[in-house]
Amino acid sequence: MRQTLLLCLAVLLSLATEAQPMASPGGQRTYCNPLNLDYGYTPIPNFAEAGRHRATADPVITLYKGDYYLFSTNQWGYWWSPDLYSWKFVPRHFLKPEHKVYDDLCAPAVFVLGDTLLVYGSTQEKNFPIWMSTNPKAGEWKEAVDPFQVGAWDPAFFLDDDGKLYLYWGSSNVYPLYGQQISRKTLQPIGQRKELFKLNDEKFGWQRFGEYLDNTFLDPFMEGAWMTKYQGKHYLQYGAPGTEFSGYADGVQISDKPLGPFTPQKHNPFAYKPGGFARGAGHGNTFQDTWGNWWHLSTMVVSVKNNFERRLGLWPAGFDKDGVLYSNTDFGDYPHYLPKGPADHLQSRFTGWMLLNYQKPVQASSTLGGYQPNYAVDESIKTYWSAKTGNKGEYLQTDLGEVSTVHAIQINYADQDAEFLGKQQGTYHQYKLWESKDGRKWKLLTDKSQNKTDVPHDYIELEKPVQTRYLKLENIHMPTGKFALSGLRIFGKGNGSVPNQVKGFVVLRTEKDKRSAWLKWTPSADAYAYNIHVGVAPDKLYSCILVHGAAEYYFKGMDKDLPYYFTIEALNENGVSARTPVAEVK
């Protein structure tokens, strides 16, 4: 997050509850982005003038004593998990009375030294402590050093394998990222900070500011530094060009030394998700799980009630045989398997469960104003249906069009007339999910009428798949506001054929500005969406763009000096078509 987030005033501490998804038999677990965490509501009144809403961003996951700890912006605490699947919130206020600001651990730095977990929040001043804990599950923290003598926004610490500690930071559309060595003994800076690098949007198209990458309104921002070392190379990662936009992504530069000089990796951005239901994959961190598999955690964009309304997403990641850092966002907001051991993240972990109800008929108990029912099935987190009330009995029904095999359901609640600011105690959702083959005789599929957890993006992996056509979500209790849904998403398989291979795919790269291209193809009558795969080598098509409801796409994210390679595939309820031959575009 940027320094514009700083506002004065202290906030109160509240509690939150644990969200428990449902597992399939045999312990096979899947997850679906956005992550189903009990996100707090923005604590900043100025950010809630268009409606109070949940918000977080700038996440980091760290493995500590065999468990995962997840920190993110302004949550008044953090989560821990034994398995990257179920998360428990630990309330903790990290501001002290003398800190007259809203931002409680904004874009936090989290790192491990020996047997100790340490945390430091963003600030432009030199008055924040570095906190330490050897028992973070119990919320036991004390100051490791107070104050830390570096005012760092979007900080990130990195412990090199020679034992030297470094700090990276920066969040600006004027200034570069900075780096500095930090004493392991005193946790204070050594020497002077070093300027590392800036953005170069004249060369790299994806770094241009704006939803349409046109540098409208502002110059692009660079923020969210994170360092990873792999096979002797230092990979300094950063977010750009703006957290409000679908193209928010993470880039990377590489060096032999922790403070540079750095050279951009050819595959950039390495974490990129500009299409689909929930978009954005910027400002995050890269970490390893207990089996050594790499993951990338990122910020996802909502940006409806405020530019800084956001969620979190988790992607398989890694380094290929040539040391190229990648993040696999193919089908990035569809169900994916979590690994049970070492895994090759270049191989998809997508379940193959397709979206069954995109733009299909819906019925609702009531509708508030222009928040129409079809917005719950249009694959946009930015639009939502709202009932007139939050009362028990309000419902939304979706028709799959034919009897299909349903494996999982994702329920994405929207905030309409919410009353909360900040993290709340004891909030929860309750509902019943019904299914029917004919729309007349209904069976109870999932009963969460006694649930006491906060599940804003509840994801249900059915214990056994069900053959059905109609599904109805009946509200029992909302934590606040109206019963509203940005996405009731049904995943599984239809009974028909996969789409035919896409025809007429062409990429028109301009001579005037080689950062941009116009992609066109013949519309497919048997497809609801398309995946465009793009990369800087025919065997490194590591970026994926999911396109709904169109037979063209304006791709403006290229390095003007490199050739690019493209292929496309079509999607429907039954599966995925063969890809087109890879095309080189110079």
Side-chain angles (χ1 to χ4, degrees), residues 308-530:
F308 303 108
E309 182 183 6
R310 296 161 294 177
R311 299 291 191 269
L312 305 182
L314 181 65
W315 331 104
F319 299 84
D320 72 10
K321 60 182 176 59
D322 300 313
V324 174
L325 173 61
Y326 66 88
S327 181
N328 191 340
T329 62
D330 294 14
F331 291 100
D333 50 33
Y334 281 44
H336 278 63
Y337 291 114
L338 284 167
K340 294 182 176 180
D344 179 4
H345 279 176
L346 282 173
Q347 302 299 315
S348 176
R349 301 202 64 79
F350 173 43
T351 59
W353 303 339
M354 306 305 295
L355 185 66
L356 298 177
N357 66 328
Y358 171 63
Q359 298 288 36
K360 297 290 180 66
V362 289
Q363 295 180 19
S365 54
S366 66
T367 298
L368 177 69
Y371 300 103
Q372 296 297 317
N374 58 293
Y375 288 148
V377 294
D378 69 351
E379 278 300 273
S380 173
I381 200 171
K382 290 178 175 288
T383 61
Y384 59 90
W385 162 75
S386 177
K388 290 182 178 180
T389 75
N391 295 342
K392 180 179 179 180
E394 296 276 20
Y395 71 86
L396 185 80
Q397 177 179 317
T398 181
D399 176 3
L400 307 184
E402 63 180 10
V403 173
S404 304
T405 304
V406 175
H407 284 268
I409 301 98
Q410 188 189 41
I411 301 169
N412 297 276
Y413 288 94
D415 295 314
Q416 179 62 37
D417 297 328
E419 299 176 346
F420 297 148
L421 286 174
K423 188 75 78 170
Q424 299 298 308
Q425 180 179 6
T427 58
Y428 57 92
H429 298 80
Q430 292 176 342
Y431 62 84
K432 291 182 179 180
L433 187 63
W434 302 85
E435 61 88 5
S436 172
K437 288 185 177 180
D438 58 11
R440 295 184 297 272
K441 184 178 180 181
W442 293 88
K443 296 180 181 179
L444 187 61
L445 182 63
T446 299
D447 186 352
K448 290 203 174 182
S449 59
Q450 302 302 313
N451 176 59
K452 291 295 184 180
T453 60
D454 190 14
V455 287
H457 297 278
D458 207 9
Y459 172 70
I460 304 144
E461 179 185 346
L462 298 179
E463 295 184 3
K464 294 181 180 180
V466 62
Q467 295 285 319
T468 194
R469 173 173 173 174
Y470 299 91
L471 293 104
K472 180 165 61 176
L473 180 66
E474 177 191 356
N475 182 53
I476 304 298
H477 173 80
M478 287 289 292
T480 183
K482 306 290 195 298
F483 181 49
L485 301 169
S486 63
L488 176 58
R489 308 175 72 213
I490 314 302
F491 295 102
K493 281 293 185 71
N495 299 313
S497 301
V498 301
N500 293 315
Q501 188 179 63
V502 175
K503 296 180 179 179
F505 182 56
V506 294
V507 181
L508 306 172
R509 191 174 186 181
T510 67
E511 291 296 328
K512 183 178 180 180
D513 184 355
K514 289 189 173 294
R515 298 173 297 176
S516 304
W518 184 16
L519 285 62
K520 294 172 61 67
W521 57 93
T522 302
S524 300
D526 58 355
Y528 67 68
Y530 307 87

Side-chain angles (χ1 to χ4, degrees), residues 135-152:
N135 190 12
K137 288 183 184 178
E140 297 174 359
W141 295 85
K142 62 182 180 180
E143 295 93 336
V145 58
D146 186 16
F148 180 52
Q149 290 299 306
V150 180

Side-chain angles (χ1 to χ4, degrees), residues 14-16 38-41 75-76 79 89 421-425:
S14 295
L15 304 176
D38 48 335
Y39 301 99
Y41 293 76
Q75 294 302 288
W76 303 359
W79 294 270
F89 187 76
L421 286 174
K423 188 75 78 170
Q424 299 298 308
Q425 180 179 6

